[in-house]
Amino acid sequence: MTVGQTTTPFSRGVNLTGWFQAGSVRQVQVTKYTFEDFQQIQSLGCDVIRLPINLHFMTSGAPDYQVDPLLFTFLDQPVAWAEQLGLHLILDNHTFDPNTNTDPNVGSILAKVWKQVAEHYKDGPANLYYEILNEPHGISDALWGSIQGRVIDSIRTVDTTHTLIVGGSGYNGYNNLAPLPVYPDDKLIYTFHFYDPFIFTHQGAGWVQPSMEPLAGVPFPHDPARMPPVPPSLAGSWIASGMQNYGVDGTIQKVQQLIDIADQFRQSRQVPVFCGELGVYIPNSPAADRVAWYQVVRTYLESKNIAWTTWDYHGGFGLFEPGGNDLFNHDLNLPLIQALGLTVPLQTPYLQLPDTEGRVIYDDYLGPGIVESSFGGGLLDYYSPDQPNQGEFVIRWQGPMQYETIGLDFVPNRDFSQLVAQGYALDLMIRSDRPGTSFDIRFLDTKTTDPNDHPWRMRVTVNESLATWDRRWQAVRVPLSSFVEHGSWDNNTWHQPEGKFDWSDVDRLEIVAEQLSLNDGTIWLDQIVLSNQDTSAVRDTSAFSTALDPGQEALSIWAFPNPADEFLTLETDSPELLRLQVMDGLGRVIVDTELRTHLVLPVATWPSGLYVLRVTGAGQRSWSRKIWRQGDN
């Protein structure tokens, strides 16, 4: 930025929520979004993505707040995708609780964390931005302005290149921009959020105090003939007062007047201003009124040269029709896309066809089309380095209590009926350190609109009849036809099996401590695959592998590009002759060759998907990496 510049280098985009907003980096589902998603977002006409990150949760915590290196491993991928596509990418520090005031001592944490991020990305792409903290609140304008200034200075000791996103207190309110100090830094973009009128944009929201879940049908703009009554549970609250004043606050004129506050700051300070969040919660808002609000807000922001990113892409404020599968080619809310001035893509009806081949459920990462949705879960780590049977990581599940669950949701739902008929099985590698360990693996089908239907379960119990719990890897293979119907828990009521489980509409896979709590016990899971072959193979028969000799160096391998299209190049500085194996998503070796210094693999004929590269050398030295084949076939 230069002094006096009042526009941003980007104009419109989305927030990719629920991706890096996890309790730790070990729970981030890195495959939730792909390069294709970035391409699709760009095809809408977006040029910026705001990426909310629970940044402080990705560290060791107090007192040092050391960033887990795995975070950078994961973040480097979307950073590279954005650079490749020419998209702007905002790393938004979203470590906040809307119902807990910002800690007045947060400055020291922010300085420690951001210096590490800046050190990692200081030589990174110019289209990368650092947003210091999302929605500080319950802290005075003066104190927050001072804290933010010190954090800016701290970042600049490491990175003088990248533009920073800064905002005011009051949940990044437009009224809190003017009290900010005049920061001397000339590479700043000032942000605010816009959710007015709040009783319209947040009707149905359960996280508000008091809960607005009972409020529904508030129109926009205000229409006295359509105003709902105040729900009894909200009588006497600020929400009831807001509904009384809605004749003024719920008008287009009022919305524009509020946006003018941010624009006046932009003009008076001669700085670029950006609306980082705007949106209307879907469940209880009238669909046409929701679209009308976006039309009004978007067009007025753009008339003032204020860039924006809508909250969110998928989710309760998202761009997709409710009740669908959130699929780009099938489920976009087209009136909303038009209201946002975006490019309307061709939409076709979604047809759920039977699966005709196997699929990876977990192999270092969750497979495509799988969303993590666990319940409780004990200490759950999807990227544990605890002696994986193959690859880099395993799932480590420590001490789950009874009924706590690892939930893996298929999006969209899957039709496994043909796989059952063709003899497919669930293959997985498993080990435990607790004799007597017993848990269920189960599929759940989809509850239909039939009031007599329930989410029926098909299960297999994994215990010492299938595995020996001696810390060693065990290969378990269960044909889908061997799963047994278990019944259903629905609306706090248990329903006995009725033979109604539907393999043609499977909603999710669960791993659940059904029989007992594991207390201090641990389960490790690896290579979970649906396959018509026996893909499970024990590659490490020891309880825990012997470590490398202290003087033995690890292999240094570089594989690029990732994702690959026509060719994949591997380079190494190792002087020895190495062995390279490439395994497809089902664990089958499709390449077995030698590597010395440099190797180019043609990959154009490989199906699109995830592959494992494994390079082995003398002794126990090895290297493995996941790569994506990105293509049309």
Side-chain angles (χ1 to χ4, degrees):
M1 299 294 158
T2 57
V3 176
Q5 182 175 334
T6 62
T7 58
T8 57
F10 49 81
S11 58
R12 55 176 62 169
V14 299
N15 280 263
L16 281 186
T17 60
W19 190 10
F20 282 80
Q21 289 173 275
S24 77
V25 69
R26 303 283 160 178
Q27 296 174 9
V28 172
Q29 299 311 314
V30 68
T31 55
K32 178 175 181 177
Y33 289 104
T34 66
F35 183 72
E36 183 180 16
D37 292 297
F38 276 51
Q39 289 177 308
Q40 290 172 342
I41 290 169
Q42 186 180 52
S43 74
L44 291 173
C46 296
D47 59 4
V48 59
I49 291 173
R50 183 174 182 252
L51 181 56
I53 307 167
N54 288 355
L55 193 52
H56 302 176
F57 297 169
M58 309 294 167
T59 74
S60 61
D64 298 326
Y65 289 92
Q66 287 293 318
V67 175
D68 190 325
L70 191 60
L71 174 64
F72 295 128
T73 300
F74 291 168
L75 267 182
D76 285 351
Q77 191 69 82
V79 169
W81 293 340
E83 181 180 27
Q84 182 176 343
L85 294 171
L87 287 168
H88 299 267
L89 183 65
I90 299 168
L91 304 183
D92 158 41
N93 183 2
H94 215 79
T95 317
F96 92 116
D97 181 339
N99 296 313
T100 301
N101 291 340
T102 300
D103 187 343
N105 298 311
V106 72
S108 62
I109 303 172
L110 291 169
K112 290 175 182 177
V113 174
W114 274 118
K115 284 185 73 172
Q116 295 172 72
V117 175
E119 181 66 39
H120 184 79
Y121 288 116
K122 64 183 179 181
D123 299 319
N127 61 343
L128 190 65
Y129 305 78
Y130 311 148
E131 183 170 342
I132 291 176
L133 184 64
N134 177 76
E135 295 192 352
H137 57 279
I139 185 171
S140 72
D141 291 316
L143 178 56
W144 170 245
S146 175
I147 290 171
Q148 188 165 237
R150 293 196 297 272
V151 177
I152 293 170
D153 293 341
S154 178
I155 294 172
R156 292 308 186 209
T157 65
V158 177
D159 184 343
T160 60
T161 302
H162 287 94
T163 297
L164 312 182
I165 310 289
V166 298
S169 186
Y171 297 91
N172 289 144
Y174 38 76
N175 286 315
N176 302 85
L177 288 169
L180 285 172
V182 177
Y183 298 121
D185 198 297
D186 63 355
K187 293 181 179 177
L188 302 179
I189 295 174
Y190 292 76
T191 189
F192 72 100
H193 295 173
F194 195 80
Y195 290 107
D196 287 289
F198 198 84
I199 64 167
F200 171 72
T201 64
H202 280 66
Q203 54 189 307
W207 61 90
V208 178
Q209 298 295 329
S211 172
M212 293 174 68
E213 287 181 279
L215 184 61
V218 176
F220 181 85
H222 175 254
D223 180 352
R226 296 171 54 211
M227 283 295 291
V230 176
S233 63
L234 299 177
S237 69
W238 65 267
I239 299 170
S241 299
M243 293 185 70
Q244 291 176 354
N245 296 329
Y246 196 65
V248 173
D249 296 337
T251 65
I252 293 174
Q253 181 183 18
K254 182 66 173 182
V255 165
Q256 293 175 339
Q257 288 174 351
L258 297 178
I259 293 174
D260 282 340
I261 297 172
D263 184 54
Q264 290 162 7
F265 170 81
R266 179 181 70 90
Q267 295 185 58
S268 65
R269 291 280 186 99
Q270 288 293 289
V271 293
V273 169
F274 158 60
C275 183
E277 294 184 19
L278 60 93
V280 180
Y281 192 45
I282 294 172
N284 290 5
S285 57
D289 299 71
R290 181 171 180 259
V291 169
W293 183 92
Y294 279 95
Q295 175 79 28
V296 168
V297 172
R298 187 270 303 178
T299 55
Y300 199 68
L301 286 171
E302 292 181 352
S303 75
K304 300 296 182 178
N305 292 318
I306 297 176
W308 52 267
T309 49
T310 183
W311 186 274
D312 41 10
Y313 182 54
H314 293 103
F317 290 76
L319 305 187
F320 294 81
E321 291 284 1
N325 293 302
D326 281 7
L327 300 177
F328 184 84
N329 294 318
H330 308 289
D331 300 313
L332 281 168
N333 183 333
L334 297 188
L336 177 57
I337 298 298
Q338 291 174 322
L340 288 170
L342 300 176
T343 302
V344 179
L346 177 67
Q347 297 286 284
T348 59
Y350 173 69
L351 181 61
Q352 182 173 308
L353 299 174
D355 283 37
T356 57
E357 56 184 29
R359 62 188 297 114
V360 172
I361 295 173
Y362 175 87
D363 188 3
D364 281 358
Y365 306 96
L366 292 184
I370 296 176
V371 177
E372 200 274 349
S373 55
S374 298
F375 166 73
L379 297 176
L380 183 56
D381 182 352
Y382 283 91
Y383 310 105
S384 170
D386 288 356
Q387 300 298 317
N389 184 63
Q390 178 177 301
E392 298 176 81
F393 306 120
V394 297
I395 298 175
R396 185 177 189 268
W397 197 26
Q398 182 179 2
M401 302 299 291
Q402 189 174 15
Y403 304 128
E404 290 187 328
T405 301
I406 299 175
L408 306 176
D409 190 14
F410 297 112
V411 180
N413 296 336
R414 310 307 307 181
D415 181 346
F416 291 148
S417 58
Q418 287 193 20
L419 301 189
V420 176
Q422 294 170 8
Y424 275 71
L426 182 71
D427 282 357
L428 70 155
M429 301 300 304
I430 190 164
R431 60 186 174 95
S432 177
D433 61 0
R434 185 182 186 277
T437 291
S438 179
F439 61 92
D440 280 2
I441 301 176
R442 65 192 183 205
F443 292 94
L444 276 71
D445 71 4
T446 304
K447 180 179 179 179
T448 67
T449 56
D450 182 346
N452 296 316
D453 190 37
H454 306 286
W456 300 105
R457 305 172 177 180
M458 292 287 277
R459 73 167 177 177
V460 62
T461 298
V462 180
N463 53 30
E464 287 170 320
S465 67
L466 292 179
T468 302
W469 306 128
D470 60 0
R471 289 178 173 248
R472 299 173 186 266
W473 283 113
Q474 313 283 311
V476 173
R477 177 176 174 81
V478 184
L480 297 181
S481 59
S482 296
F483 279 73
V484 178
E485 189 164 2
H486 182 213
S488 175
W489 178 256
D490 191 20
N491 292 327
N492 294 317
T493 303
W494 177 253
H495 302 271
Q496 292 295 335
E498 297 180 13
K500 293 181 178 179
F501 183 86
D502 186 1
W503 278 111
S504 69
D505 202 11
V506 178
D507 176 55
R508 57 198 284 114
L509 175 69
E510 294 183 340
I511 301 166
V512 55
E514 180 73 17
Q515 288 78 25
L516 46 83
S517 299
L518 263 67
N519 299 319
D520 58 349
T522 302
I523 296 171
W524 292 266
L525 303 152
D526 200 2
Q527 298 163 254
I528 308 174
V529 179
L530 287 176
S531 175
N532 61 352
Q533 306 174 43
D534 191 350
T535 63
S536 301
V538 178
R539 291 171 172 81
D540 172 19
T541 57
S542 64
F544 290 96
S545 297
T546 304
L548 294 174
D549 293 335
Q552 193 174 37
E553 296 181 358
L555 292 174
S556 295
I557 311 290
W558 296 269
F560 54 92
N562 189 7
D565 187 7
E566 299 291 331
F567 298 94
L568 176 68
T569 300
L570 288 94
E571 294 182 351
T572 178
D573 57 8
S574 174
E576 68 177 295
L577 185 65
L578 305 173
R579 182 185 182 189
L580 166 68
Q581 290 183 309
V582 180
M583 285 153 281
D584 66 10
L586 295 178
R588 298 173 296 200
V589 176
I590 62 170
V591 174
D592 193 341
T593 188
E594 295 176 343
L595 168 63
R596 187 191 295 275
T597 308
H598 183 89
L599 178 66
V600 177
L601 288 177
V603 301
T605 60
W606 297 4
S608 297
L610 200 60
Y611 294 82
V612 177
L613 309 181
R614 183 172 179 83
V615 177
T616 54
Q620 296 181 349
R621 294 200 300 165
S622 65
W623 172 93
S624 62
R625 185 71 72 245
K626 293 284 186 180
I627 65 106
W628 281 265
R629 155 72 176 119
Q630 188 77 42
D632 298 324
N633 53 329

